[in-house]
């Protein structure tokens, strides 16, 4: 297992942060999830195919220092500069201390490429927590660099001064007008929320968590419920409410306790904004008619060959094993089976079905 993952990470380290269509490079995240799911034999052939979609690694531009790093946040073209900076930082401290120092600085910009900054760091942490090796340490550096380079703050800031739980607060959330265009990558669509009356007020309705970890589990369930309400229109977008919340959960122990509320604030804001931007008022989740067996779910996940299926299945299995709630098996299997059915579709058809975006 160790050799398989490390070999894959080494091979993927020579590529840039995006695919040829401008989507995030999911390679390092996907191979960690594949190994976690027990699909080590599938890693090498999957990487061989996925690598064909990736762009080359960018060159460094200008060194980043302890005095200039703030000006480099969100500068995508400085990904390599951030890699070199975090590598130098790592020479002065352990990887856990590096995370403890930088996660509080990065949480406000967790929207990084649709939540993929926190997600990539979380997969890197999961790999390191299993076994610390040099390729995995390099991926911690690259994952942090990715988050910093793509740093983007969501519009507004959730006060967490309300008195509602997550489900109740989501029921009060206003939505974009149905006539507004929702095509394009999610971060661009979320910008439209500035024109939605009462969105910021609704964002403030949720209460501060007394136990952030427990509240994140509640948020994961809400993400699964939102996915099931919207799986025929925007399944990929809502799948990320689950994987992003899972990333916050994984990274919470690496975050100083003083910043736990900020981590939760980002998770709540991400889910609420996604629901407001892409959801439909009055949309109800259909009943769960059938719950797949675990073996069946895993078969569909692997057959999909899809990076999002690997990540989503790993996240949903964690929540299912904790709660026993079949909603998580239903969501993971729905995405995988949709991707299996869409294997021969062209990109435009996938975009129209909410299975891809560019």
């Amino acid at each position: 297992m160790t050799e398989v993952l490390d070999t894959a990470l080494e091979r993927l380290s020579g590529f840039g942060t995006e695919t040829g269509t401008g989507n995030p490079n999911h390679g390092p995240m996907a191979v960690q999830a594949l190994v976690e799911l027990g699909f080590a034999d599938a890693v090498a052939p999957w990487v061989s195919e996925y690598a064909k979609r990736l762009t080359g690694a960018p060159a460094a531009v200008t060194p980043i220092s302890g005095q200039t790093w703030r000006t480099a946040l969100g500068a995508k073209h400085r990904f390599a500069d951030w890699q070199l900076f975090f590598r130098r930082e790592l020479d002065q401290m352990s990887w856990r201390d590096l995370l403890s120092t930088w996660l509080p600085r990065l949480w406000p910009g967790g929207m990084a490429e649709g939540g993929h900054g926190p997600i990539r760091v979380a997969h890197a942490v999961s790999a390191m927590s299993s076994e610390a090796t040099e390729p995995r340490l390099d991926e911690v550096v690259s994952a942090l660099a990715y988050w910093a380079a793509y740093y983007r703050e969501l519009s507004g800031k959730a006060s967490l001064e309300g008195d509602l739980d997550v489900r109740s607060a989501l029921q009060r959330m206003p939505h974009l007008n149905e006539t507004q265009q929702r095509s394009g990558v999610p971060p661009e669509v979320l910008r439209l929320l500035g024109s939605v009356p009462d969105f910021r007020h609704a964002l403030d309705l949720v209460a501060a968590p007394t136990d952030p970890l427990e509240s994140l589990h509640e948020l994961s369930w809400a993400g699964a419920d939102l996915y099931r309400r919207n799986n025929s229109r925007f399944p990929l977008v809502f799948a990320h409410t689950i994987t992003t919340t899972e990333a916050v959960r994984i990274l919470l122990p690496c975050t100083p306790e003083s910043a736990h509320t900020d981590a939760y604030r980002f998770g709540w804001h991400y889910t609420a904004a996604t629901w407001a931007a892409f959801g439909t008022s009055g949309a109800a989740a259909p009943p769960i008619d059938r719950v797949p067996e675990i073996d069946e779910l895993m078969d569909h996940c692997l057959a999909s060959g899809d990076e999002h299926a690997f990540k989503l299945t790993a996240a949903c299995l964690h929540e299912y094993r904790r709660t026993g709630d079949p909603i998580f098996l239903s969501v993971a299997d729905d995405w995988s089976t949709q991707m299996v059915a869409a294997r021969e579709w062209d990109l435009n058809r996938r975009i129209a079905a909410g299975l891809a975006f560019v």
Side-chain angles (χ1 to χ4, degrees):
M1 294 289 188
T2 299
E3 184 177 350
V4 168
L5 180 54
D6 287 355
T7 299
L9 290 175
E10 286 177 333
R11 183 172 181 187
L12 290 165
S13 66
F15 293 99
T17 58
E18 299 178 355
T19 65
T21 57
N23 285 319
N25 174 359
H26 285 72
M29 300 176 269
V31 295
Q32 187 280 322
L34 275 170
V35 171
E36 180 180 322
L37 291 169
F39 296 140
D41 290 345
V43 169
W46 185 86
V47 169
S48 294
E49 287 301 310
Y50 189 74
K52 299 174 184 177
R53 298 159 55 183
L54 300 176
T55 58
V61 180
T62 305
I64 295 171
S65 72
Q67 290 70 48
T68 64
W69 64 266
R70 287 180 178 82
T71 63
L73 286 173
K76 298 179 183 180
H77 67 290
R78 301 193 65 186
F79 169 69
D81 294 336
W82 278 108
Q83 283 181 304
L84 293 172
F85 173 75
F86 282 125
R87 174 53 69 178
R88 291 195 301 273
E89 290 286 282
L90 200 56
D91 290 339
Q92 308 299 320
M93 63 184 79
S94 70
W95 67 274
R96 291 190 181 277
D97 286 342
L98 183 67
L99 290 169
S100 180
T101 300
W102 278 91
L103 287 178
R105 298 171 179 174
L106 294 175
W107 279 124
M111 186 56 198
E113 206 64 6
H116 285 95
I119 293 171
R120 182 166 175 178
V121 174
H123 280 280
V125 166
S126 293
M128 283 292 288
S129 299
S130 171
E131 184 173 349
T133 65
E134 197 61 30
R136 301 179 193 198
L137 195 60
D138 288 340
E139 174 54 19
V140 170
V141 167
S142 294
L144 283 170
Y146 178 79
W147 188 346
Y150 284 78
Y151 180 100
R152 177 184 286 193
E153 297 186 15
L154 286 159
S155 177
K157 182 179 180 180
S159 68
L160 302 182
E161 294 177 354
D163 57 6
L164 298 182
D165 61 22
V166 166
R167 298 186 201 185
S168 299
L170 287 173
Q171 290 174 0
R172 308 280 189 89
M173 198 61 58
H175 297 280
L176 286 179
N177 189 295
E178 281 292 306
T179 62
Q180 287 185 274
Q181 181 60 256
R182 305 186 198 188
S183 62
V185 294
E188 300 308 319
V189 178
L190 294 186
R191 286 185 174 184
L192 300 176
L193 291 175
S195 66
V196 178
D198 298 328
F199 170 68
R200 292 195 179 184
H201 170 71
L203 193 64
D204 291 339
L205 293 176
V206 79
T210 54
D211 181 343
L213 185 59
E214 189 60 35
S215 294
L216 286 169
H217 290 307
E218 179 185 7
L219 198 57
S220 290
W221 187 94
D225 179 61
L226 295 178
Y227 175 95
R228 297 191 67 252
R229 296 191 203 185
N230 297 273
N231 67 333
S232 63
R233 298 187 65 201
F234 299 108
L236 180 56
V237 173
F238 283 97
H240 282 87
T241 63
I242 303 169
T243 52
T244 298
T245 301
E246 172 75 350
V248 179
R249 182 195 65 78
I250 291 170
L251 295 178
L252 200 66
C254 304
T255 303
E257 189 172 350
S258 59
H260 280 191
T261 298
D262 287 336
Y264 176 78
R265 188 194 319 276
F266 160 71
W268 157 247
H269 196 158
Y270 182 93
T271 296
T274 301
W275 173 228
F278 291 94
T280 302
S281 298
I288 299 176
D289 296 326
R290 179 179 174 278
V291 180
E293 298 292 335
I294 297 290
D295 288 347
E296 181 185 13
L297 167 64
M298 299 291 267
D299 287 345
H300 291 163
C301 173
L302 185 58
S304 74
D306 176 64
E307 58 272 22
H308 296 102
F310 307 153
K311 298 189 305 170
L312 180 62
T313 299
C316 285
L317 281 175
H318 175 269
E319 287 299 315
Y320 172 72
R321 287 165 178 156
R322 191 190 75 87
T323 65
D325 194 322
I327 191 173
F328 294 104
L329 300 185
S330 174
V331 165
D333 197 55
D334 180 82
W335 174 261
S336 291
T337 53
Q338 286 203 58
M339 291 307 297
V340 169
R343 275 184 300 194
E344 303 303 321
W345 294 4
D346 62 24
L347 180 59
N348 288 334
R349 188 176 177 186
R350 291 190 182 203
I351 291 173
L355 301 174
F357 42 73
V358 292

